Amino acid sequence: MNINASELLKQYATGKRDFQGFDLNGADFHRAFLKGITLQGSNLIGANLSGADLEAADLSGANLIGANLSGANLIGVNLNGTDLIGANLVGAKLENAYCVKANLNGANLNGANLRRANLSEASLSGANLTETVLSATLIDANLSGTNFCRASLIEADLQRANLSGANLAGTNLSKTNLRKANLAEANLSGASLREADLSEADLTGANLHRESLHEANFQGAIMPDGKIYHA
């Protein structure tokens, strides 16, 4: 179903909230107030949602490839199964967001806040998470080649996550759960691993500083030299 941005905003102002399945390709919602809107399964390819208020909105299964969500309020938003390939989420507020099985490959989340978000089984391969607050659930997530430089992952749950080739330089991984995670060829230079759990993780070829051995749990992990660690 087709609808333009101005018509949607008019209908929203009258109290309508359900716009699922609509075609809003390239629509301009810059700084729009759309709190609690339902855009489930809608086409928002290349849409401009920068600075928009989408708190508690339902965007599950929507197509947001290349969309601009920079600075948007996405607190508590439902992005389960949403396609956000190459999307701009710089500085976005994603606290308590639901992003299970979302596709964020190549997305830019620089400086975004994902505290307490659920990204289980999500794919963020090649995404930019520089200086992102990611104290979130990322169980079984695909984070291969992702840039986490100077990000905060304090107490994040990354069990079985694929972090092969990821850049974790200067990242805060204190108390992070990395049990059985794949960190092969990952860059952990300058990362804080204080009280982190890397038991049974794969660190083959990873760049790991020696001090980390005294800060984290590596029991049963495959170390950079290919040997199993035993305390």
Side-chain angles (χ1 to χ4, degrees), residues 44-56:
L44 289 150
I45 294 174
N48 182 10
L49 292 149
S50 58
D53 187 348
L54 291 153
E55 184 173 350

Side-chain angles (χ1 to χ4, degrees), residues 72-154:
N73 178 6
L74 298 163
I75 295 173
V77 72
N78 184 351
L79 291 165
N80 290 341
T82 301
D83 196 341
L84 288 146
I85 293 174
N88 181 356
L89 289 145
V90 173
K93 299 176 182 178
L94 285 146
E95 297 99 315
N96 298 303
Y98 299 92
C99 307
V100 178
K101 295 184 178 180
N103 189 344
L104 288 143
N105 291 344
N108 188 355
L109 292 117
N110 178 266
N113 190 338
L114 290 109
R115 188 176 283 111
R116 296 182 301 278
N118 188 348
L119 293 109
S120 297
E121 299 182 66
S123 183
L124 294 99
S125 181
N128 179 13
L129 290 158
T130 303
E131 299 180 347
T132 298
V133 177
L134 201 60
S135 300
T137 300
L138 293 136
I139 298 171
D140 293 315
N142 177 19
L143 302 156
S144 60
T146 299
N147 185 7
F148 291 95
C149 188
R150 300 186 304 280
S152 175
L153 287 92
I154 299 172

Side-chain angles (χ1 to χ4, degrees), residues 106-223:
N108 188 355
L109 292 117
N110 178 266
N113 190 338
L114 290 109
R115 188 176 283 111
R116 296 182 301 278
N118 188 348
L119 293 109
S120 297
E121 299 182 66
S123 183
L124 294 99
S125 181
N128 179 13
L129 290 158
T130 303
E131 299 180 347
T132 298
V133 177
L134 201 60
S135 300
T137 300
L138 293 136
I139 298 171
D140 293 315
N142 177 19
L143 302 156
S144 60
T146 299
N147 185 7
F148 291 95
C149 188
R150 300 186 304 280
S152 175
L153 287 92
I154 299 172
E155 297 183 340
D157 193 345
L158 289 145
Q159 290 184 76
R160 300 183 303 277
N162 178 10
L163 291 142
S164 58
N167 181 13
L168 293 149
T171 299
N172 192 340
L173 293 157
S174 300
K175 299 183 179 180
T176 298
N177 185 352
L178 288 154
R179 182 178 173 82
K180 295 185 178 181
N182 180 1
L183 289 147
E185 305 297 333
N187 181 8
L188 289 154
S189 61
S192 174
L193 292 164
R194 190 175 300 278
E195 297 183 56
D197 184 2
L198 290 106
S199 55
E200 300 182 65
D202 185 355
L203 291 145
T204 305
N207 183 357
L208 181 70
H209 54 94
R210 292 184 179 181
E211 290 80 2
S212 298
L213 300 178
H214 307 293
E215 299 175 340
N217 175 17
F218 289 94
Q219 190 63 36
I222 302 173
M223 301 307 285

